[in-house]
Amino acid sequence: MVETNSQNEAEWKREEQEYNDLCDRVRELCENIFNKSQEIHDTNKKNMQELVHSTKLAFEEYSHKRNEIIKVIVKESEDKSAEIENLKNQISQMLVSENSYSGTPVDAINEAPEENREADVSNTVPEEKTHKKLKDFGKKKSANIETVVEGDADEEEQARNLIAAAAAENINSVIKKTPAFNQTFKPPKPKVDREPIGEDYDKIKAAAENLKDIHWEILAIMGKQGLSRMTKIVDAFGGRKTQGAIRQGINTLKDMGLLAVDTAINPFSKNLMVYHISEAGNMVYKFKYHQNPVKSEMKKIINEHDNLEHGYGILFLYELMLQDPARFMDVSMFNKKNPIDYGSGNNKEVYVPDIQFKENGKQLTFYEYERGNQGQLDYERKMNKLLRVTRYIYFIVDSKDTLDKMIKIVNKWVDKKNPKELDGYKLKICTATYFRDKLITNKTALWQAEYDFAKSNKPSIITKDVL
């Protein structure tokens, strides 16, 4: 009976653990749905039945709103299609009228050299004074929609491109390429973001004529290399211009609305200014170089790491690690396209590390950069996931306060775990600046707090200033 009870108790513990894991997954799913619906709920205060019920209601409300948005998009797409058809007829009539007056065949117009056609258009544009601000260029004029799904915006944008190209260049071949609109929302993406027409064209032309060589050089460097940081832009000049001249040029472009700037707070630079070419700047760049600028470093980081503060903290760690290629090999901070698969069958999941590399060319290792802006349960889920991926968990944090917070979070998590679950695992934490300093001065001790769960459930504190 004692043996049977022992076996039953072990089985109950296993089932209880599975149930707790299931509850965590359900809560995580519900939180994701609430986040998508942009509603604020405290899921920790709800029992499972209440949580599932409120999540169902939130999802139904979100679905209803999204369907209404799609209906409006369909209606606007149909209106744009009608506008394009009307424009086709007007241009055809204009071409016929012009050809009958001048005696020039239509085919001769279509076969005219490209540069001649562009020259004719530019000669008909009236000149105006340069506008100081160009930030209002290209704003969508949808009166009924404040927010649309990213993929749904392509159709309206395609309509604008075709209308703009036809009006600006007066080329009949553009009309022949007009795609038929449908409700699948899968039109081909345009090569040009948006061609300026009318008043926009006048502003772009006037702005371009008033830019100096250094302004064009800055736009060319940012547009071809995607640079976003002042230091990188200065380095790209190779000493041909002083830092002061480059900074003044960037400020001028920003004042004109051709560049936009954001601040990315991180441990290595408290007020890092991050620049990118604005929509108006895209038009001026296209006006000059006849192609779109590449995606900026800033936009790549946001796409990969959600926000600038998190992303640029990771970027600076990544650049530090590149300075020691013997220790950190195959370092990558863009891992969404190649996530780590774990689990199997219905339990198969993926893990996207902030940074991954091969330590000393052998062991695949992952670093997570944390700013302490999540709750206890969020970090517990992350650590439970990491237990299924690796035996070595590394957290690099943004500040001393976050370090203290993470140690408390890990201690609470450890208290909830069965010691056998953690046997053989290690967890290490340090601040980003500590990591940087020790990487330079003492490459053997990079961590401020270490957990070796084979020996103890408490951390061994390396530095005295850690809580």
Side-chain angles (χ1 to χ4, degrees), residues 411-425:
N411 288 340
K412 289 182 180 180
W413 173 69
V414 171
D415 290 339
K416 296 179 183 179
K417 307 295 287 185
N418 186 325
K420 292 183 179 179
E421 294 182 76
L422 300 176
D423 189 20
Y425 289 88

Side-chain angles (χ1 to χ4, degrees), residues 112 118 291 319:
E118 293 181 354
Q291 62 182 8
E319 292 177 343

